[in-house]
Amino acid sequence: MASSLQTKPTFPENAATKEYAASLDAADPLRAFRDKFIIPSKANIASKKLAKPGLSPEPCIYFCGNSLGIQPKATVKYIEAQLDTWSSIGVAGHFTDLEDSPLRQWQLLSEQAAASMSKLVGAAPEEVAAMGTLTANLHILLASFYKPTATRHKILMDWKAFPSDHYAIESHIAWHGFDPKQSMVLIGPDEGDYEISTQKILSYIDQHAEDAALILLPGIQYYTGQWFDMPKITEHAHSRNLVVGWDLAHAYANVDVKLHDWNVDFAAWCTYKYGNAGPGAIGGIFVHERHGVVDYSEGEDAPKFRHRLTGWYAGDRSVRFKMDNKFKPIPGAGGFQLSNPSAIDLTALCAALSVFDETSIAEIRKKSVLITAYLEHLLLKDTSDETRPFQIITPSNPNFRGAQLSLLLKPGYLGKVSQRLQDAAIVCDKREPDVVRVAPAPLYNTFTEVLNFVEEFKAALAS
């Protein structure tokens, strides 16, 4: 749910022309960002040999940022700086800020990443930590926030949760001695629909107000692309004394969320989709400031803090190297870290974040609303519900979706559509049995690419 309501754009009669698409590209305030990324070439994506970027100057159309974002040009520069640090000063890299380097010392590198990520998720830097990977982080957070009792042990979740979420929730329920078949409550859409109404989610919260301990939902549902009304759901769940967590895998760097202002308890995300940090990149967590308090009112040696799985790297830097085994956590999300994070992983993340630091999630979102609406307009133009061999199962309201549109094809179409797109060097992904997910990323995709995609897509349907 958008932090400020968006009006759905409208388009003129000539919207399906190259001239009109070019005019949108020319007026795009983010157009210069495309040059900050390495767009795979048509030749390279068709090749089975390792190739250098730029082998062919003609780029493919890459609409798969919802699975893996493309590489920023800054990545090479940042990784080289990191390798040079390691090779030139060795262990001193942990404590030395080098001139002319885009990176902080290794001991502060996670904080550098957290400060930039916090602007993308609407949080204070202290409420964010760069750590782990998505599923590992969900486990770490659930270990702290899922506190079932004999009467309140259920977890409310999405009917079509990504397997990572499903497995994590199932394992924590079983870990506490409960039966997942009884304690997992799946919230699904009404029969024949794909969108889950906010009212239905609220009704489930009311229905399980006395036996649920926690609700964990995706900010954006990976299959349908629906963006849930995060502030309303969070507020209502809190009114029923439920802990609220969000998986932002498809929302991070995609939509404008306000985790602190919305009073979210915790959240986790990966950074390799719209965040462009690289495959399997280091992830991020959010822990609201109220859960990260460290209370020393009973003395320096008796800190009180929210229970969590603890690790050395979560220890306050002022005492971290005393090695006395007296755990004093960093206040905030940093106190939920475990191990010394990979400096190389953090470097790739910081490289991607350096691009985002040059704009804002509000500006990114503004273009996203326009380019996704343009995609929807062209897909539906000159067609009707009766004759169209596909259905857009992503909400039409821009306030309830991000960059992605999920296209549900009639049976038998997926194979030939996928082949046609592949032959045209258009990269998007499919979900069996019949869904194509299309995600124009605002920082590097163009309106002309949207037009070209729709022409190829419709040609495939007609063939």
Side-chain angles (χ1 to χ4, degrees):
M1 174 64 180
S3 54
S4 58
L5 293 180
Q6 302 283 338
T7 301
K8 189 171 184 177
T10 58
F11 300 93
E13 281 298 315
N14 68 332
T17 65
K18 287 181 171 53
E19 292 75 17
Y20 182 75
S23 73
L24 291 177
D25 287 327
D28 175 15
L30 299 180
R31 63 187 179 277
F33 280 85
R34 180 176 171 87
D35 192 49
K36 297 181 184 293
F37 294 87
I38 302 172
I39 301 171
S41 71
K42 289 184 176 182
N44 282 351
I45 65 169
S47 175
K48 300 299 182 183
K49 293 184 178 180
L50 183 64
K52 293 290 186 180
L55 178 65
S56 170
E58 188 173 5
C60 72
I61 294 177
Y62 195 91
F63 282 168
C64 208
N66 57 325
S67 284
L68 177 66
I70 60 177
Q71 185 183 130
K73 292 179 179 177
T75 302
V76 171
K77 172 187 173 185
Y78 274 58
I79 293 291
E80 286 180 346
Q82 188 61 269
L83 294 177
D84 289 344
T85 300
W86 180 21
S87 65
S88 62
I89 63 173
V91 70
H94 285 97
F95 311 105
T96 306
D97 288 325
L98 294 177
E99 295 180 12
D100 301 322
S101 173
L103 300 162
R104 300 296 308 276
Q105 57 185 266
W106 298 336
Q107 282 286 298
L108 300 179
L109 200 51
S110 59
E111 282 88 344
Q112 177 178 338
S116 292
M117 278 200 293
S118 68
K119 294 181 286 187
L120 296 176
V121 297
E126 296 77 18
E127 293 176 306
V128 173
M131 57 182 274
T133 51
L134 178 57
T135 306
N137 288 341
L138 285 174
H139 278 294
I140 289 167
L141 291 167
L142 285 170
S144 180
F145 284 93
Y146 178 51
K147 300 296 182 185
T149 66
T151 56
R152 301 194 68 167
H153 52 84
K154 292 182 178 180
I155 297 180
L156 309 186
M157 58 183 291
D158 169 32
W159 70 302
K160 207 173 182 62
F162 199 81
S164 290
D165 299 49
H166 189 101
Y167 299 155
I169 290 171
E170 189 174 36
S171 66
H172 277 269
I173 289 171
W175 187 14
H176 286 279
F178 295 99
D179 182 358
K181 292 180 180 178
Q182 301 298 320
S183 297
M184 293 175 71
V185 179
L186 306 184
I187 308 173
D190 293 334
E191 186 70 28
D193 202 356
Y194 291 90
E195 182 176 350
I196 306 174
S197 70
T198 301
Q199 190 55 48
K200 185 164 190 178
I201 296 173
L202 301 186
S203 71
Y204 266 70
I205 291 171
D206 289 339
Q207 180 182 342
H208 294 280
E210 301 303 321
D211 57 22
L214 184 145
I215 180 168
L216 177 64
L217 292 173
I220 291 181
Q221 215 284 336
Y222 84 96
Y223 183 73
T224 66
Q226 178 182 356
W227 183 11
F228 292 113
D229 192 337
M230 295 174 62
K232 191 168 187 177
I233 293 167
T234 299
E235 182 180 23
H236 193 74
H238 280 161
S239 74
R240 299 296 187 268
N241 296 317
L242 269 69
V243 173
V244 184
W246 292 95
D247 176 346
L248 302 183
H250 287 265
Y252 168 76
N254 179 12
V255 291
D256 191 2
V257 298
K258 304 293 184 186
L259 296 181
H260 176 86
D261 291 348
W262 293 346
N263 211 26
V264 168
D265 291 301
F266 70 91
W269 56 88
C270 51
T271 61
Y272 52 80
K273 299 179 188 297
Y274 299 100
N276 303 95
I282 193 167
I285 68 165
F286 164 87
V287 176
H288 198 279
E289 64 177 3
R290 67 182 179 279
H291 298 301
V293 173
V294 182
D295 179 6
Y296 287 100
S297 60
E298 295 183 7
E300 283 295 314
D301 291 329
K304 293 189 294 183
F305 51 89
R306 182 181 186 88
H307 179 76
R308 80 283 303 265
L309 300 179
T310 53
W312 178 74
Y313 205 74
D316 193 280
R317 283 192 305 277
S318 65
V319 297
R320 183 181 292 168
F321 286 92
K322 287 187 175 182
M323 315 299 279
D324 60 5
N325 293 329
K326 296 178 180 178
F327 183 65
K328 295 182 178 181
I330 298 169
F336 285 75
Q337 298 172 98
L338 298 179
S339 301
N340 186 14
S342 163
I344 298 295
D345 287 346
L346 283 171
T347 297
L349 174 57
C350 287
L353 288 166
S354 73
V355 179
F356 287 91
D357 283 340
E358 295 183 45
T359 181
S360 68
I361 190 63
E363 287 301 308
I364 292 170
R365 173 64 179 158
K366 191 182 300 182
K367 178 180 174 181
S368 183
V369 169
L370 181 61
I371 198 169
T372 304
Y374 184 56
L375 171 62
E376 180 187 30
H377 175 82
L378 295 182
L379 285 167
L380 300 181
K381 184 177 172 59
D382 301 325
T383 66
S384 66
D385 292 342
E386 292 74 25
T387 61
R388 192 182 304 124
F390 69 92
Q391 174 188 356
I392 301 175
I393 60 175
T394 307
S396 184
N397 186 334
N399 297 292
F400 292 97
R401 69 184 185 198
Q404 173 185 316
L405 291 185
S406 294
L407 314 180
L408 176 64
L409 309 180
K410 288 187 176 180
Y413 279 88
L414 185 61
K416 68 176 183 178
V417 167
S418 297
Q419 188 61 55
R420 174 75 181 237
L421 296 178
Q422 181 178 325
D423 292 343
I426 297 174
V427 183
C428 50
D429 67 6
K430 61 183 179 181
R431 285 292 179 267
E432 300 287 353
D434 297 304
V435 167
V436 174
R437 302 190 306 167
V438 190
L443 286 183
Y444 53 81
N445 285 133
T446 69
F447 294 89
T448 297
E449 289 179 319
V450 168
L451 176 61
N452 292 339
F453 163 80
V454 173
E455 289 176 349
E456 291 290 344
F457 178 74
K458 288 187 175 180
L461 294 176
S463 63

